[in-house]
Amino acid sequence: MRSFFFFLAALRAAAYVWPDPQTDEMERLLYENAARGVDTPAFGVADCAIEPTDQSPFKGRTNAAEWFRTAYHDMATADVFSGRGGIDASIGFELNRPENPGLAFSETVNFFLAFQSTQVAMADLIALGAVLAVASCSNATISIPVRAGRVDATEAEPFGVPEPQQDLDSHVKAFARQGFNATEMIGLLACGHTLGGVHGNDFPDIVDVTEDPYAVPSQVTMSQYMLTIIGW
Ligand code: HEM
Ligand SMILES: *[C@@H]1O[C@H](CO)[C@@H](O)[C@H](O)[C@H]1NC(C)=O
Ligand SMILES: *[C@@H]1O[C@H](CO)[C@@H](O)[C@H](O)[C@H]1NC(C)=O
């Protein structure tokens, strides 16, 4: 009898049954919006080009690009071979690393702190941020499916975010560790970098522009630029 109840419990965890506090809160944050007077995070990307503030040092940055880059840097430490990492909010412990330059990560985590609860971990909010950013910047034509129930890390993950000065072979190996083959790497780099730009404060060797959210070297698009970096 006892094992029967354990079996039922396992089934319940696998299939969504309403009400489910984690999924329901995640859906509330995803679908309800400020126009209805509801406090949900979508207002941060109501327009793809919204800047956190028009004051230095945030001027020339956009929430959508920062949220999307944060999701990637948080998951980029993942190791599919050992099963470690993924989107787990470990980025909060990794802010001082050279592989995480710029204000995007602290900005994003600070924005989402107001929505963290016993139902929704910071890791879920970082995933939600990526979904909201893509929805906004595609004018609601791209809807990425999202699940709730991630557990926040309690310490930093090993280093592992790719850096622009590294060579192609390192990038291919880093993406393989993250669970992506070379085709998927190119897709992620090219499409990921259609949002936002490079900031001269953080990468003065790449651009000298500090307050243009879409600044890329020689006015090429960011994704073309990234393909050039990886020697494609
Ligand atoms: C080899 C891998 C990668 C390298 C070397 C790389 C490098 C960079 C660099 C140098 C910047 C400029 C950051 C700044 O100045 O604030 C940047 C921005 C960005 N990256 Fe990547 N990146 C990589 C992969 C990715 C992937 C896979 C994604 C998403 C799927 C992504 C999303 C973004 C976004 C959205 C921005 C714009 C941030 C903003 O405007 O605030 N990157 N990346
Ligand atoms: C975004 O979608 C709305 C509603 O379909 C449409 O009215 C608007 O023109 C679209 N904007 C852009 C920039 O495509
Ligand atoms: C990478 O995987 C995708 C399917 O997920 C496949 O279509 C593609 O051909 C693969 N690329 C390489 C280089 O193996």
Side-chain angles (χ1 to χ4, degrees):
M1 198 51 163
R2 193 169 236 244
S3 59
F4 178 69
F5 282 116
F6 278 127
F7 176 68
L8 277 186
L11 267 186
R12 192 177 177 283
Y16 171 72
V17 178
W18 183 87
D20 175 282
Q22 291 178 321
T23 301
D24 297 347
E25 174 62 2
M26 189 82 153
E27 291 198 338
R28 187 186 76 81
L29 295 175
L30 181 58
Y31 293 118
E32 296 190 2
N33 61 72
R36 296 182 55 216
V38 179
D39 185 20
T40 60
F43 74 86
V45 289
D47 182 323
C48 173
I50 289 182
E51 300 188 10
T53 85
D54 62 359
Q55 304 296 312
S56 183
F58 299 110
K59 194 167 166 50
R61 297 170 182 274
T62 66
N63 281 337
E66 291 196 341
W67 295 4
F68 201 57
R69 180 169 174 240
T70 297
Y72 177 60
H73 281 231
D74 190 33
M75 80 71 57
T77 53
D79 185 339
V80 291
F81 305 116
S82 70
R84 258 193 97 111
I87 294 187
D88 59 4
S90 66
I91 189 84
F93 300 100
E94 298 157 359
L95 297 176
N96 294 330
R97 294 180 174 180
E99 65 189 32
N100 291 325
L103 296 168
F105 316 111
S106 57
E107 255 289 290
T108 302
V109 171
N110 280 332
F111 180 97
F112 281 105
L113 268 182
F115 302 98
Q116 196 177 22
S117 67
T118 49
Q119 282 78 43
V120 175
M122 182 56 69
D124 276 348
L125 294 168
I126 289 173
L128 186 70
V131 173
L132 289 171
V134 170
S136 170
C137 296
S138 69
N139 197 20
T141 59
I142 302 177
S143 170
I144 303 177
V146 63
R147 284 189 188 176
R150 291 169 190 76
V151 176
D152 285 350
T154 53
E155 58 185 1
E157 296 288 352
F159 285 67
V161 184
E163 296 182 68
Q165 74 280 8
Q166 293 163 343
D167 62 16
L168 178 57
D169 192 47
S170 319
H171 292 324
V172 172
K173 287 202 174 81
F175 277 77
R177 172 181 43 73
Q178 295 158 15
F180 302 117
N181 68 24
T183 313
E184 292 160 337
M185 175 182 84
I186 298 298
L188 280 165
L189 273 167
C191 300
H193 290 129
T194 56
L195 305 188
V198 184
H199 301 90
N201 298 330
D202 308 319
F203 292 94
D205 295 345
I206 303 180
V207 292
D208 57 8
V209 188
T210 55
E211 297 193 345
D212 176 355
Y214 309 108
V216 288
S218 316
Q219 304 302 311
V220 295
T221 67
M222 180 84 167
S223 53
Q224 282 172 323
Y225 166 63
M226 292 312 300
L227 294 177
T228 312
I229 281 190
I230 63 172
W232 206 260

